[in-house]
Amino acid sequence: MEKKRVDEHEVEPAAPVRVDRFGFVKQEQNSTEGLTGSRSASEYEREERRIRKWRKMIGVGGSDWKHYVRRKPHVVKRRIRKGIPDCLRGLAWQLISGSRDLLLMNPGVYEQLVIYETSASELDIIRDISRTFPSHVFFRQRHGPGQRSLYNVLKAYSVYDRDVGYVQGMGFIAGLLLLYMSEEDAFWLLVALLKGAVHAPMEGLYLAGLPLVQQYLFQFDHLGKEHLPKLGGHFAQEMINPSMYASQWFITVFSYSFPFHLAIRVWDVFLYEGVRIVFKIGLALLKYCHDDLVKLPFEKLVYALRNFPEDALNPDVLLPLAYSTKVSRSLEALKREYEKHNGKQAKAHVKPGQ
């Protein structure tokens, strides 16, 4: 009898699981966004044309990318904003971020970090692994290939940069990358982001005291008052500040708080244009929901700012609204103001231009 019970238990994990086109387990009550479904012939042909254009732009293994970006940056920017074809997203992200160059310049480094080094953060990483995209088939299995890969990348980075080590929000970024590339590729893209291979470094988001998060929240608070004065006044009256709802936006670049189909579109643009897009998306969300938010009292405001309605998270609505929002000049002025009030420590983790 005992053997029979064991056998019955062993076959249970083999039950089929219905997933959307990105690999997330389908929930009946969830949005239909991202679900596998039939596409019209015209939609299929349009997608095929986009893929052909991107293949020509990238070249074999990325051989034409740098030349194309130098020659036609406006075309690259426009195509990225329309969305990178999913089948080319992993390679494109590596080319845009500069991580492919880091990988080629550092052969064997990742393997050394994973196999031969130890990290003071190993227990923290193990504790958090199961919290990263738990509904995705790649990460669902305890100690499965997805969780092992995520552990390896996070452990390797915590050894590579012991000043940063490991912070929980890094798991969602590494997890997102692993859905589009190998462990080693994901590791070097993480390095490119945190060390600033192309844009200003992100490491200040994860250092003790989260110095860059504090700067970004200061900037976002003032941008909100500038672009949406009525809502800004209501927030002040209800004692709402961005630390109550926006910290995760910056720490995970929306990979934690947004539906996956929207998060990857944001990441396409983020890797090419930098952190400005996070501010623009945040302002676009507040602008889209403005008329509802200005009516809400404190408790309902906090909930609404952490649970935006489905229609607000439609990429075809939110992204154009974000692109039309101008923030660069104000961001620069606010950065200088923040550094003036917070001393030299605010400058320590930010490159010029952030």
Side-chain angles (χ1 to χ4, degrees), residues 105-119:
M105 290 187 292
N106 293 277
V109 171
Y110 177 71
E111 183 181 12
Q112 172 77 22
L113 294 170
V114 171
I115 297 176
Y116 299 108
E117 302 286 350
T118 58
S119 167

Side-chain angles (χ1 to χ4, degrees), residues 71-83:
R71 201 160 49 89
K72 297 183 177 181
H74 58 291
V75 174
V76 175
K77 181 177 180 178
R78 185 178 72 245
R79 289 181 180 174
I80 287 174
R81 285 187 167 193
K82 287 182 178 180

Side-chain angles (χ1 to χ4, degrees), residues 20 26 31-32 71 74 88 115 118 135 151 154 190 226 244 248 257 261 264 267 282 298 307 313 321 343:
D20 67 16
K26 286 186 183 182
S31 162
T32 56
R71 201 160 49 89
H74 58 291
L88 298 173
I115 297 176
T118 58
S135 63
Y151 169 81
L154 294 172
L190 197 59
E226 175 189 331
M244 297 176 177
Q248 286 289 353
S257 46
H261 68 276
I264 55 176
W267 269 78
F298 177 83
N307 300 272
L313 301 176
L321 187 58

Side-chain angles (χ1 to χ4, degrees), residues 62-115:
S63 57
D64 295 336
W65 173 256
K66 291 180 181 178
H67 175 68
Y68 203 102
V69 170
R70 283 194 300 268
R71 201 160 49 89
K72 297 183 177 181
H74 58 291
V75 174
V76 175
K77 181 177 180 178
R78 185 178 72 245
R79 289 181 180 174
I80 287 174
R81 285 187 167 193
K82 287 182 178 180
I84 300 170
D86 207 54
C87 62
L88 298 173
R89 188 166 262 127
L91 175 58
W93 282 3
Q94 293 170 61
L95 296 171
I96 294 168
S97 67
S99 68
R100 175 56 63 94
D101 293 335
L102 292 177
L103 170 70
L104 296 175
M105 290 187 292
N106 293 277
V109 171
Y110 177 71
E111 183 181 12
Q112 172 77 22
L113 294 170
V114 171
I115 297 176

Side-chain angles (χ1 to χ4, degrees), residues 200-226:
M202 290 174 59
E203 61 186 356
L205 294 173
Y206 309 110
L207 289 166
L210 310 179
L212 199 52
V213 178
Q214 304 308 320
Q215 177 194 308
Y216 287 166
L217 293 177
F218 172 86
Q219 290 171 293
F220 188 77
D221 187 36
H222 285 72
L223 283 172
K225 293 170 182 174
E226 175 189 331

Side-chain angles (χ1 to χ4, degrees), residues 12-40:
E12 284 179 9
V17 176
R18 297 178 70 240
V19 298
D20 67 16
R21 65 190 177 98
F22 297 114
F24 288 88
V25 177
K26 286 186 183 182
Q27 303 293 332
E28 294 302 323
Q29 69 272 23
N30 277 7
S31 162
T32 56
E33 279 289 349
L35 299 185
T36 304
S38 59
R39 292 189 296 173
S40 67

